[in-house]
Amino acid sequence: MSARFHALCERIPGLRHVARSEGRALFDVVSGFVQSQALFALVELRLLHRLADGPADLAALSLQTDIPADRLRILLQAGAALKLVRAKAGLWHLTPRGAAFLTVPGLEAMVRHHDVLYRDLRDPVAFFRGETTPELAGFWPYVFGAGGAADPQLAQRYSHLMADSQGLVAADTLRLVSLRGVGHLMDVGGGTGAFLAAVGRAYPDLRMTLFDLPAVVPGATARLSAFVPRIAICPGSFRDDPLPIGADAISLIRVLYDHADATVTALLRACHDALPPGGRLVISEPMSGGARPDPATDVYFSVYTLAMQTGRTRSAQEITAMLRGAGFETVQDMGSLRPFVTSCLCATRN
């Protein structure tokens, strides 16, 4: 807290680097919202897509986006600072990071719906006091039960975003968790079946069941048609209906953090009761760092789930305690390859 100490650090070679690094980190925190909005503008104007077709000069991009050249130059310079684009020989080019942004499933769709979250955080003090009605909750109506997700157009909107971003989650989950020895996997809350499609390709002999709201069944039927006859699609709400029995493994992929503790507790008990002795429950979703807060999960996902009004981002330790309370005695933390994508827990019914 001492300005004199800060000045001293600037004069000492060993401490100078630390002081300047901390200063830069603090400024990144202060300016983070501008970086997010610059990225949003790059996405909405499809500038990365335009440069994916080949380098372009400022004048051409100005005509294509209807943005004055002097103002567009500032946006592109911001994109270059974010290492998404670069200028060379009078032309703007897409960088490897920019190309990766376009090819990572769901990333662009995630950014494009952030305008909803931005509006919810317009008054962050009121938001954290609980004095606002977040718009984001309406974007994900299924969190309020089957009745909230009855609109087919709404179901299609959120199902597409979930499916687009599910590819990375499925890949990391299947690298962390082996399903060898499992004969029948039921994915609860599996949306249109993006995770089960990945499972079906990795385990060609595995029988599968998808259990989710009736509104998403048409999308799941289309996506999983290649896995007939070893796939069954059962419409229902885990909040209101009993889980089907017969599977020796159940997966909950990005389900728990959408819901309140009471709903999660009831769901985990239902999973325990639906499994046979020795049956496994796989939980995969972004998790809080707990005692060691994570900058992705404890900032982005925790605030996001708060805006959804029903869920929260829990740590592996919290979920483990809930699993034990539901009757699972054996719980294994499978870790994470990328915490901002997912982390995994496996529980076994004794």
Side-chain angles (χ1 to χ4, degrees):
M1 299 293 290
S2 168
R4 292 180 61 189
F5 179 73
H6 293 177
L8 176 65
C9 289
E10 280 292 331
R11 295 196 298 270
I12 300 176
L15 295 178
R16 185 182 302 141
H17 172 73
V18 175
R20 292 180 180 178
S21 295
E22 283 297 301
R24 180 58 184 262
L26 282 172
F27 189 77
D28 283 344
V29 172
V30 171
S31 66
F33 81 101
V34 182
Q35 297 178 32
S36 300
Q37 294 290 51
L39 174 61
F40 185 80
L42 290 167
V43 168
E44 284 294 289
L45 293 168
R46 295 185 61 81
L47 282 163
L48 302 183
H49 287 275
R50 299 177 199 279
L51 295 178
D53 295 332
D57 62 23
L58 182 64
L61 293 172
S62 176
L63 285 173
Q64 292 169 10
T65 59
D66 195 29
I67 304 291
D70 57 336
R71 302 181 73 86
L72 183 60
R73 186 192 302 276
I74 293 173
L75 176 58
L76 288 168
Q77 190 75 1
L82 297 174
K83 296 183 170 35
L84 297 169
V85 300
R86 65 186 176 92
K88 183 179 179 182
L91 297 175
W92 286 94
H93 300 252
L94 192 66
T95 64
R97 182 179 295 180
F101 177 87
L102 294 178
T103 55
V104 171
L107 200 53
E108 182 181 3
M110 182 184 296
V111 170
R112 295 195 69 177
H113 92 285
H114 275 168
D115 60 328
V116 181
L117 183 58
Y118 296 154
R119 289 193 292 273
D120 286 341
L121 293 174
R122 185 182 295 115
D123 185 344
V125 173
F127 170 81
F128 281 105
R129 283 177 174 164
E131 298 171 348
T132 64
T133 302
E135 185 181 341
L136 194 66
F139 191 93
W140 303 106
Y142 65 85
V143 298
F144 299 104
D151 186 329
Q153 290 185 330
L154 281 175
Q156 185 179 47
R157 180 184 67 178
Y158 67 68
S159 294
H160 282 170
L161 180 56
M162 289 174 67
D164 286 344
S165 57
Q166 195 79 302
L168 291 177
V169 177
D172 280 15
T173 301
L174 293 177
R175 288 174 64 187
L176 291 166
V177 178
S178 173
L179 296 177
R180 290 179 182 175
V182 174
H184 185 177
L185 173 70
M186 178 168 63
D187 191 29
V188 175
T192 58
F195 177 69
L196 280 187
V199 170
R201 290 189 292 268
Y203 296 89
D205 297 323
L206 185 66
R207 288 186 296 129
M208 300 176 291
T209 295
L210 185 142
F211 181 79
D212 207 339
L213 299 172
V216 304
V217 165
T221 301
R223 183 186 296 275
L224 298 172
S225 61
F227 301 99
V228 173
R230 60 189 180 103
I231 181 73
I233 298 175
C234 298
S237 167
F238 61 73
R239 292 165 61 107
D240 308 311
D241 305 313
L243 296 182
I245 60 173
D248 55 342
I250 294 175
S251 54
L252 297 171
I253 311 300
R254 295 195 306 179
V255 170
L256 301 188
Y257 72 167
D258 284 346
H259 298 280
D261 287 354
T263 302
V264 171
T265 297
L267 174 58
L268 295 179
R269 286 175 180 160
C271 289
H272 178 272
D273 294 344
L275 286 169
R280 283 188 274 168
L281 174 62
V282 177
I283 295 172
S284 177
E285 63 181 44
M287 298 179 190
S288 164
R292 301 179 63 183
D294 180 86
T297 59
D298 284 295
V299 178
Y300 178 82
F301 287 106
S302 290
V303 172
Y304 193 105
T305 53
L306 184 60
M308 288 178 67
Q309 292 191 294
T310 62
R312 68 184 183 92
T313 305
R314 301 171 181 85
S315 68
Q317 293 77 17
E318 287 181 283
I319 298 173
T320 295
M322 298 176 87
L323 284 165
R324 296 193 190 283
F328 291 96
E329 296 181 17
T330 304
V331 182
Q332 186 176 4
D333 187 343
M334 309 304 294
S336 176
L337 300 174
R338 295 172 288 187
F340 57 89
V341 173
T342 199
S343 298
C344 293
L345 293 172
C346 282
T348 303
R349 175 175 179 176
N350 290 357

